[in-house]
Amino acid sequence: VLKVFLQQRELSEVYTGGIGSYALLVMVANFILTHGSRFSGREKDTNLGELLIDFFRLHGRAMAQGVGQGVDNFFKKRKLGFHQPDRPELYAVQDPHDEGNDLGKNSYNASKVRVAFDHAYTRLTAPAKPGESLLERIVRLDKLLFSRFDQRKHSAGEVAVMPLDADQELRTVEVLEKVELDGDRQEGTAPPAK
């Protein structure tokens, strides 16, 4: 969900100033390992929707610009040499395989990412109508999403398997399962298609 959320805002690639997949993975790992539910005894009562909202709140509002994160900790950016005086808004994300590497150092659109995360938090916590999908408030299943997926498949020399018909009703779960299944087939880990 986070990757698609960032992709729809053109903030999912480092070369465009966004947050790359590896940095996002470390941010998510950090979030899960340091989330308050792990220490309050309510770990079993916490659901994915609550975690998503809390992630947006932390990364859009709560985390100070002088704070960085590793896989399971937070640190002062200056202490590890990750502070960039000319770009204090950058996320500092410590690479777990190379502690001196800041995975967020080239994400020059970090301010836009923070604004997007903050806006998502606001949208997800606003009152909802009965039966309304909260996820649809922040993630669109539209023709642009499918065309981006199509472009990536073609650039990898593969045939697109996602329909591009914007009128076709696709549920979020179906899309994610399809993408995951296609990724598993690519790596040779999924059973052959029926």
Side-chain angles (χ1 to χ4, degrees):
V1 171
L2 289 169
K3 189 65 176 174
V4 170
F5 172 84
L6 290 171
Q7 183 182 30
Q8 287 183 341
R9 288 149 183 85
E10 298 183 0
L11 295 169
S12 66
E13 302 293 342
V14 176
Y15 66 86
T16 61
I19 302 292
S21 297
Y22 186 44
L24 186 61
L25 178 67
V26 173
M27 291 168 73
V28 169
N30 167 281
F31 175 76
I32 291 170
L33 292 172
T34 60
H35 191 262
S37 65
R38 294 196 63 220
F39 308 103
S40 67
R42 37 176 235 111
E43 196 172 36
K44 291 181 182 179
D45 297 330
T46 304
N47 63 51
L48 292 176
E50 182 180 346
L51 290 172
L52 181 64
I53 290 169
D54 287 350
F55 181 91
F56 285 135
R57 183 189 59 76
L58 174 66
H59 292 286
R61 287 188 179 190
M63 191 177 329
Q65 289 187 0
V67 175
Q69 58 194 314
V71 170
D72 61 356
N73 65 330
F74 293 97
F75 56 83
K76 291 185 178 180
K77 292 193 313 188
R78 287 185 192 276
K79 185 176 180 184
L80 293 184
F82 288 1
H83 176 71
Q84 296 184 36
D86 55 327
R87 301 188 307 175
E89 74 282 356
L90 295 181
Y91 287 105
V93 182
Q94 187 179 37
D95 184 341
H97 297 289
D98 179 0
E99 293 181 358
N101 184 27
D102 178 4
L103 300 171
K105 69 183 172 213
N106 293 320
S107 298
Y108 58 85
N109 277 325
S111 295
K112 290 181 181 178
V113 173
R114 280 183 207 281
V115 168
F117 284 165
D118 182 55
H119 182 70
Y121 171 74
T122 301
R123 298 275 298 146
L124 290 173
T125 56
K129 297 174 187 169
E132 178 184 6
S133 168
L134 295 180
L135 194 55
E136 284 183 308
R137 290 179 175 186
I138 62 166
V139 176
R140 314 175 300 284
L141 291 179
D142 60 8
K143 190 172 182 173
L144 181 59
L145 173 64
F146 294 118
S147 70
R148 285 184 181 154
F149 181 80
D150 185 45
Q151 289 171 355
R152 285 186 152 189
K153 292 298 244 183
H154 283 295
S155 68
E158 301 170 12
V159 176
V161 294
M162 299 291 286
L164 296 177
D165 181 3
D167 297 325
Q168 183 178 6
E169 296 274 339
L170 289 177
R171 302 182 72 210
T172 304
V173 174
E174 293 170 5
V175 172
L176 295 175
E177 287 174 349
K178 182 113 177 119
V179 170
E180 185 177 88
L181 182 60
D182 289 342
D184 289 344
R185 280 193 198 123
Q186 199 174 13
E187 295 173 15
T189 59
K194 294 180 182 177

